[in-house]
Amino acid sequence: KASMAFISYAFLKKAKSYIAKYQRESIDLYACYDLLRNEKSEILDQFVQDFMKEKMNEKKIADFFEKYDDIDRAGIFYPVLIQELTFLGEKVFAKKRENSTIHSEVKNLVTYLYKYANRKLGEDSINDFIGTYSKFGIRIIGRSKVINRSGQSVYINHLIKIAPKVETLYLIGGKNHKEFINSLFENCKNRIGFTKLTDR
């Protein structure tokens, strides 16, 4: 109960003032589930009985929860989805806005990342997400055969073609290519006009 209460109060505090009720409840539910699933099984069992069972009877919450699980398995729940919702909260906080527009954008954002998480093997390209508040692109960096054949040049050529509307760019790759990704960014950051926010 303490974990759920803390997440509900502190997690995405600004954004959750504006997103739909089922959206914030599904995020709280998944974040708490994710926190507890590595703990003792009886703690998770109690959480499922006390909170999840009833909430998962609500279709919209259950649908989002299942999408979050796929998004998380692709490694982009916290680094991309939660980051974008944090940015969204900063943009709309204490400003004039249409709640229906925000609700629709969050729904589209989750659907976009769900489709990205379930893209076909070897499908590296996907359209950027350009919404009213969230405008970002995802680029997969570090396929070994591409690195061995072309080094950084092919990636730089793609990155300098990023659409001007894109405000945030996520470079995604395996841990074994982290050094390559960092070097790639340093070599083209002035040409693409982005600064590094975080390195995970």
Side-chain angles (χ1 to χ4, degrees):
K1 291 182 179 180
S3 297
M4 190 68 180
F6 174 77
I7 288 172
S8 295
Y9 175 75
F11 197 54
L12 292 173
K13 194 171 183 179
K14 290 183 178 179
K16 284 196 294 190
S17 298
Y18 304 102
I19 65 178
K21 183 173 183 287
Y22 78 90
Q23 293 170 348
R24 61 176 178 265
E25 287 188 354
S26 64
I27 289 172
D28 287 347
L29 196 68
Y30 187 81
C32 195
Y33 168 79
D34 187 47
L35 176 69
L36 295 176
R37 62 177 159 184
N38 293 320
E39 300 293 331
K40 294 180 180 179
S41 60
E42 59 266 24
I43 298 176
L44 180 59
D45 289 346
Q46 184 175 358
F47 172 73
V48 170
Q49 290 299 321
D50 291 350
F51 293 101
M52 276 190 66
K53 190 175 181 180
E54 180 181 353
K55 291 295 183 181
M56 291 294 279
N57 286 329
E58 299 181 35
K59 187 178 184 303
K60 287 184 177 180
I61 291 178
D63 179 58
F64 263 41
F65 187 96
E66 291 172 1
K67 284 183 169 64
Y68 295 151
D69 203 40
D70 279 12
I71 293 169
D72 196 23
R73 282 191 282 108
I76 54 175
F77 179 77
Y78 295 103
V80 181
L81 176 59
I82 298 303
Q83 184 65 70
E84 284 301 312
L85 291 177
T86 300
F87 288 151
L88 184 149
E90 295 291 340
K91 289 178 180 179
V92 303
F93 187 71
K95 294 182 177 69
K96 184 178 180 180
R97 73 279 166 192
E98 291 290 338
N99 286 344
S100 60
T101 300
I102 297 173
H103 299 172
S104 178
E105 180 143 332
V106 172
K107 181 179 179 180
N108 292 338
L109 173 59
V110 171
T111 300
Y112 169 89
L113 292 176
Y114 172 74
K115 289 180 179 178
Y116 176 87
N118 288 284
R119 69 194 187 284
K120 295 179 181 178
L121 184 65
E123 183 183 355
D124 293 344
S125 62
I126 186 170
N127 293 333
D128 297 326
F129 185 90
I130 306 297
T132 302
Y133 302 103
S134 294
K135 307 173 192 295
F136 67 91
I138 299 175
R139 297 296 182 272
I140 299 174
I141 307 294
R143 293 184 67 183
S144 296
K145 65 178 182 181
V146 177
I147 292 175
N148 294 334
R149 183 181 67 241
S150 307
Q152 294 186 3
S153 61
V154 66
Y155 293 111
I156 291 175
N157 289 336
H158 286 311
L159 292 178
I160 62 177
K161 296 175 183 176
I162 296 291
K165 289 184 179 181
V166 171
E167 297 177 353
T168 309
L169 179 62
Y170 297 94
L171 303 182
I172 296 179
K175 290 182 179 179
N176 58 319
H177 291 130
K178 186 174 182 178
E179 185 177 339
F180 178 85
I181 294 173
N182 285 332
S183 174
L184 170 67
F185 176 76
E186 289 300 321
N187 288 335
C188 69
K189 63 182 180 181
N190 293 331
R191 298 173 67 184
I192 63 177
F194 287 91
T195 57
K196 185 185 292 185
L197 176 65
T198 186
D199 179 0
R200 298 179 181 176

